[in-house]
């Protein structure tokens, strides 16, 4: 989903909010009038009085001043009566105003100066969070909650590195990826290694950091992704949201494909996967792939077109060590 489409959705939401606030205001005012009918009568009198003053301004200059003075005095009297009535019923001017979610822009998203209100930026982020499929998890899994101390300092001889030192490098690479996200030459990422070493956690860290920078991030498992593409290709009935989801796969700022290799692999899935990886690459959109398969197995599993793209345009990031059981240890 392109940013402009996201913005359109947000503007529709603002419109809805404004209408809702205005309707609530009318209901509230109506309830007040039912409780204090004199107030309604006074207000229509004041409106008429206001009009009379405007007309008086166009009248014969000789009588004008006297007339206006008289009308204004009457207006003041009405206003005083209204104030007294409101006081006696514990009403304030605020009771007659709509209750906006954002008082700065009155739920327009745009300020009088023409600039976006600060609430608009937050809306943009919220909308992107919702679309990412990650909204719930990101509060727990992000760079701030990452704990390097969970990784062993003991060197693994065949890697020549301890899991902790490796994770420090991974962390650096991921932070670099976020930092340089808008650089066209920055490579995509491919995380590989067995389950339980923090690949998904790291992907979530990146997702959150980018969402907070107003990027559109979509997370999808390979299985679900292929399922969506199959449904679309074979004209099967999907949910009404599916076509929107499909578009987002191609044009979100970052697509995270989790668990590549768990889906059924055949010519169809190879073709579809190639299309996504290649289209995104050609359009300069970043992709993050996470897989349990080591590079050698990827080459067996996927056709040359896919592998050549992966090896050329992805930075391979290896996760190794012992399963540190991310689940159930709280924030790691
Ligand atoms: Zn606002």
């Amino acid at each position: 989903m392109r940013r402009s489409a996201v913005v359109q959705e947000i503007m529709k939401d603002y419109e809805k909010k404004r209408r809702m606030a205005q309707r609530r205001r009318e209901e509230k005012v109506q309830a007040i009038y039912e409780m204090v009918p004199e107030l309604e009568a006074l207000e229509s009198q004041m409106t008429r009085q206001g009009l009379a003053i405007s007309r008086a301004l166009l009248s014969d200059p000789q009588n004008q001043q006297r007339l206006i003075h008289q009308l204004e005095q009457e207006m003041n009297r009405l206003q005083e009566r209204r104030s007294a009535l409101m006081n006696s019923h514990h009403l304030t001017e605020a009771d007659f105003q709509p209750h906006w979610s954002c008082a700065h822009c009155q739920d327009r998203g745009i300020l009088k100066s023409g600039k976006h209100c600060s609430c608009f930026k937050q809306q943009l982020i919220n909308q992107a969070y919702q679309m990412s499929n990650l909204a719930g998890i990101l509060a727990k899994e992000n760079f701030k909650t990452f704990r390097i101390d969970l990784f062993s300092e003991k060197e693994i001889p065949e890697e020549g590195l301890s899991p902790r030192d490796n994770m420090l490098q991974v962390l650096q690479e991921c932070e670099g990826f976020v930092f340089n996200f808008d650089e066209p030459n920055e490579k995509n990422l491919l995380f590989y290694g067995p389950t339980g070493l923090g690949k998904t956690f790291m992907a979530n860290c990146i997702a959150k950091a980018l969402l907070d920078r107003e990027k559109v991030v979509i997370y999808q498992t390979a299985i679900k992704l292929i399922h969506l593409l199959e449904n679309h290709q074979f004209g099967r009935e999907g949910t009404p949201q599916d076509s929107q989801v499909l578009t987002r796969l191609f044009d979100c700022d970052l697509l995270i494909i989790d668990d590549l290799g768990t889906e059924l692999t055949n010519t169809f899935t190879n073709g579809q996967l190639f299309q996504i990886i290649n289209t995104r690459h050609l359009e300069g959109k970043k992709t993050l792939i996470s897989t349990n398969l080591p590079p050698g197995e990827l080459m067996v599993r996927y056709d040359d077109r896919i592998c050549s793209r992966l090896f050329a345009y992805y930075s391979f990031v290896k996760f190794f060590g012992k399963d540190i059981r991310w689940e159930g240890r709280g924030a790691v």
Side-chain angles (χ1 to χ4, degrees):
M1 187 181 227
R2 290 182 197 282
R3 192 186 152 104
S4 61
V6 178
V7 170
Q8 246 176 28
E9 298 240 326
I10 294 173
M11 293 324 274
K12 262 195 251 165
D13 276 351
Y14 274 119
E15 191 49 45
K16 233 189 272 174
K17 262 195 222 167
R18 279 184 61 79
R19 274 205 303 267
M20 183 80 89
Q22 273 153 345
R23 203 169 62 214
R24 292 225 176 97
R25 182 219 162 245
E26 278 162 33
E27 286 166 2
K28 199 170 62 179
V29 169
Q30 214 46 53
I32 293 173
Y33 287 162
E34 273 169 35
M35 191 173 72
V36 196
E38 194 191 340
L39 209 51
E40 188 176 13
L42 267 174
E43 270 167 24
S44 40
Q45 245 179 305
M46 281 165 71
T47 310
R48 281 198 301 273
Q49 200 71 9
L51 284 171
I53 294 175
S54 311
R55 269 200 307 273
L57 288 168
L58 304 169
S59 66
D60 168 12
Q62 269 193 331
N63 299 323
Q64 197 185 60
Q65 270 202 323
R66 191 179 48 82
L67 185 58
I68 289 175
H69 181 68
Q70 198 185 343
L71 286 166
E72 276 176 351
Q73 267 189 330
E74 176 65 6
M75 186 66 141
N76 288 342
R77 196 186 61 77
L78 290 170
Q79 261 160 359
E80 276 165 28
R81 174 67 192 137
R82 181 174 178 267
S83 298
L85 207 53
M86 278 174 50
N87 279 340
S88 67
H89 287 88
H90 308 291
L91 293 166
T92 65
E93 286 306 333
D95 292 310
F96 292 83
Q97 298 305 320
H99 178 72
W100 307 111
S101 314
C102 176
H104 301 291
C105 65
Q106 304 196 329
D107 297 348
R108 285 185 177 92
I110 293 169
L111 299 167
K112 288 205 175 92
S113 64
K115 284 194 182 141
H116 277 130
C117 183
S118 59
C119 72
F120 178 84
K121 189 178 167 191
Q122 193 54 49
Q123 289 296 329
L124 210 56
I125 295 173
N126 292 353
Q127 187 82 4
Y129 260 82
Q130 272 170 21
M131 293 188 319
S132 70
N133 302 326
L134 290 167
I137 206 156
L138 294 181
K140 284 184 281 172
E141 302 196 347
N142 55 65
F143 283 126
K144 284 195 189 118
T145 62
F146 177 75
R147 277 177 53 192
I148 195 72
D149 61 305
L150 293 178
F151 296 85
S152 162
E153 283 182 288
K154 219 172 120 194
E155 185 181 308
I156 297 187
E158 58 269 37
E159 303 289 352
L161 212 60
S162 73
R164 185 174 301 184
D165 285 338
N166 181 53
M167 260 341 251
L168 283 170
Q169 286 181 9
V170 170
L171 193 62
Q172 208 177 9
E173 178 129 23
C174 293
E175 286 177 333
F177 178 78
V178 170
F179 189 77
N180 298 315
F181 191 74
D182 295 322
E183 300 292 325
N185 298 328
E186 180 76 9
K187 281 193 168 186
N188 303 285
L189 289 177
L190 188 141
F191 292 170
Y192 71 98
T195 317
L197 300 179
K199 296 193 301 295
T200 303
F201 189 98
M202 229 4 118
N204 289 343
C205 293
I206 290 175
K208 175 156 169 57
L210 290 174
L211 282 162
D212 291 343
R213 278 176 46 186
E214 299 176 46
K215 302 291 178 193
V216 178
V217 179
I218 303 291
Y219 168 95
Q220 207 61 268
T221 61
I223 294 183
K224 174 81 181 166
L225 187 117
I226 294 295
H227 183 68
L228 281 166
L229 292 164
E230 267 176 350
N231 278 355
H232 176 70
Q233 190 74 9
F234 301 121
R236 283 186 215 134
E237 191 83 3
T239 69
Q241 291 86 28
D242 279 0
S243 68
Q244 225 180 8
V245 174
L246 271 177
T247 320
R248 288 177 198 161
L249 294 179
F250 286 93
D251 61 20
C252 59
D253 297 316
L254 175 70
L255 173 66
I256 300 175
I257 306 177
D258 199 9
D259 264 342
L260 184 78
T262 50
E263 79 288 0
L264 191 76
T265 325
N266 55 34
T267 323
F268 170 79
T269 55
N270 260 292
Q272 294 293 307
L273 203 60
F274 173 74
Q275 219 202 329
I276 287 202
I277 288 174
N278 197 44
T279 308
R280 293 189 58 82
H281 168 68
L282 292 175
E283 292 191 359
K285 306 273 187 187
K286 301 278 161 58
T287 307
L288 190 167
I289 295 176
S290 160
T291 177
N292 292 356
L293 302 175
E297 269 186 60
L298 283 175
M299 288 176 72
V300 176
R301 195 76 177 269
Y302 298 98
D303 65 26
D304 291 350
R305 291 183 307 168
I306 295 182
C307 291
S308 66
R309 296 303 184 281
L310 294 182
F311 289 112
Y313 306 122
Y314 284 68
S315 172
F316 279 56
V317 181
K318 185 175 185 177
F319 288 67
F320 62 81
K322 263 198 195 151
D323 182 344
I324 55 164
R325 272 169 290 151
W326 299 78
E327 305 297 331
R329 292 195 68 153
V332 283

